[in-house]
Amino acid sequence: MIATDPEAVLGRLRDLPVLPQALTDLLSALQRDDVAMDELVDAISHDQALVAKALRLANSSFYGLSGRVSSIRDAISVLGLRNLSTALTAAAVSGSFTTPRCRGFDLAAYWRHSIACALCARHLARALKLDDGAAFTAGLLHDLGRLALASQSPERLEQVCDYRQQHDCQMLQAEDDVLGTNHMAIGAVVARRWRFGNDVVDAIRHHHAPLPAAAPTLTDLVHVSDGLVHALDLARLPDDMVPPLVADAWNRLALTQAQCDTVLERTEAELDELCEALSV
Amino acid sequence: MSQDHPTLDRPVETLPTPAVPQAEQRLMWLFRDSLRRQQIHPLLAVVRRYHERSAQ
């Protein structure tokens, strides 16, 4: 099949949901050194729905701060700007798309898998002394293309799901065969439009096929996390399937069994808590 | 017919198979794509050891 432009599959890009301005301001500010705290607090505080969700998350047992955070200013001082931005990202993205009605697409399973991947990537990053905030965000958004497809082109995703069921193949294979593109390319388009950093966009674009590298990359973390959480059966999908592993990416992380055990244990322990805090 | 190679009195398909724990069956199902391709998937061993350790 000839490769298809992911934007053509998604339809009109202007119909894509937009992330709250407060979040995009915060994410842009985090790229700079001269962040004006008051300005940020004001910007975030204007979006009360986002603030409410973020504070609920900040006060959840996931962050271990039950009842201590009552304002965005508190959240910044207690959680730190970077942790707050991951909380706001999770809150904003989980509420950004209308609930898709698409045969074969299980929204609850989608979020359980994405949140599990975010947690796993975060713990792997900590074990390897890499950026755990970026790992969490990239893990959370890695299958964003599938959510966008379910929301914007449900009939095309239904064709993909039917094909996958008939052939019992990898979802990625079904997407390539039916659409001529896949959720990695589509997700990268959406993430770029949402102005996430290049490292996050690249991790989304290549998470099933990490590129050669001299040292572990964010894409490697998401690639391995995705495989691990599929293997742990955390989405609880009857026909789930573990995707292939790229040996170079796995070898670059050089994880021991003891490190994997710790990461998997923590991921399982925190998953229900975070799903509940995000209301997904 | 040699005593070392006795004939079966019923088709192989009807012979009882060793019991495989349900969790192991599920693991095999999740990794079915790699198993069909006869590819070694490093995460199969990692997750199997994790389950074994968790069960102790």
Side-chain angles (χ1 to χ4, degrees):
Chain A
M1 174 173 274
I2 299 164
T4 307
D5 182 356
E7 296 185 18
V9 174
L10 270 183
R12 288 172 301 174
L13 278 176
R14 68 171 178 272
D15 291 342
L16 275 176
V18 291
L19 281 187
Q21 188 61 44
L23 178 63
T24 50
D25 287 350
L26 177 64
L27 294 174
S28 312
L30 282 171
Q31 313 287 325
R32 307 195 319 259
D33 294 330
D34 58 336
V35 185
M37 187 68 72
D38 286 344
E39 201 179 315
L40 274 180
V41 170
D42 283 348
I44 296 167
S45 301
H46 284 147
D47 189 333
Q48 285 304 311
L50 185 61
V51 168
K53 210 166 182 184
L55 291 181
R56 184 175 167 197
L57 187 57
N59 281 307
S60 70
S61 48
F62 175 69
Y63 284 110
L65 297 168
S66 186
R68 286 171 56 195
V69 179
S70 58
S71 68
I72 286 296
R73 196 176 290 277
D74 285 350
I76 293 172
S77 60
V78 178
L79 291 177
L81 208 50
R82 194 161 289 279
N83 269 335
L84 177 68
S85 80
T86 59
L88 283 168
T89 302
V93 174
S94 64
S96 62
F97 284 95
T98 51
T99 307
R101 287 186 183 173
C102 176
R103 188 182 66 248
F105 180 77
D106 183 330
L107 186 64
Y110 170 86
W111 279 117
R112 273 188 71 77
H113 172 71
S114 297
I115 292 168
C117 189
L119 289 169
C120 188
R122 187 167 87 142
H123 289 304
L124 280 181
R126 285 179 181 171
L128 299 170
K129 299 187 170 32
L130 299 171
D131 182 347
D132 62 348
F136 183 91
T137 302
L140 185 75
L141 300 179
H142 76 287
D143 278 343
L144 179 62
R146 211 163 270 159
L147 183 63
L149 205 50
S151 172
Q152 305 298 111
S153 299
E155 68 293 339
R156 302 303 309 274
L157 186 57
E158 283 180 2
Q159 291 170 357
V160 172
C161 292
D162 290 346
Y163 182 96
R164 197 242 171 179
Q165 195 173 31
Q166 284 163 17
H167 294 83
D168 193 32
C169 61
Q170 295 285 346
M171 193 66 174
L172 184 70
Q173 183 65 54
E175 290 166 352
D176 282 333
D177 288 354
V178 173
L179 304 175
T181 186
N182 57 53
H183 69 283
M184 296 191 292
I186 292 170
V189 167
V190 179
R192 183 164 295 289
R193 191 173 169 78
W194 283 355
R195 297 181 188 172
F196 280 96
N198 287 340
D199 54 347
V200 171
V201 174
D202 283 347
I204 294 170
R205 183 181 286 122
H206 300 295
H207 72 266
H208 285 295
L211 301 173
T217 64
L218 188 60
T219 308
D220 295 340
L221 285 179
V222 176
H223 175 66
V224 170
S225 299
D226 186 34
L228 283 169
V229 299
H230 273 293
L232 276 189
D233 208 7
L234 295 178
R236 301 171 184 157
L237 282 171
D239 61 349
D240 205 350
M241 187 182 268
V242 181
L245 193 74
V246 173
D248 285 349
W250 172 244
N251 292 335
R252 275 195 293 274
L253 298 190
L255 292 160
T256 64
Q257 180 68 40
Q259 284 175 312
C260 289
D261 287 348
T262 304
V263 165
L264 297 179
E265 199 171 80
R266 289 179 180 166
T267 300
E268 284 200 297
E270 292 171 352
L271 178 59
D272 287 341
E273 226 167 70
L274 188 52
C275 287
E276 195 183 328
L278 287 169
S279 312
V280 294
Chain B
M1 182 65 65
S2 160
Q3 286 289 330
D4 295 335
H5 301 282
T7 54
L8 296 171
D9 59 1
R10 54 183 169 149
V12 172
E13 291 78 12
T14 65
L15 291 172
T17 52
V20 178
Q22 207 172 357
E24 180 65 12
Q25 279 183 28
R26 179 65 182 163
L27 201 56
M28 295 293 101
W29 172 254
L30 292 168
F31 280 93
R32 65 193 180 284
D33 187 41
S34 301
L35 294 170
R36 277 179 200 146
R37 296 168 199 264
Q38 298 186 308
Q39 288 171 344
I40 295 170
H41 199 305
L43 299 188
L44 176 56
V46 168
V47 173
R48 185 184 276 141
R49 282 191 214 116
Y50 169 71
H51 286 317
E52 286 168 358
R53 184 180 152 272
S54 304
Q56 283 171 4

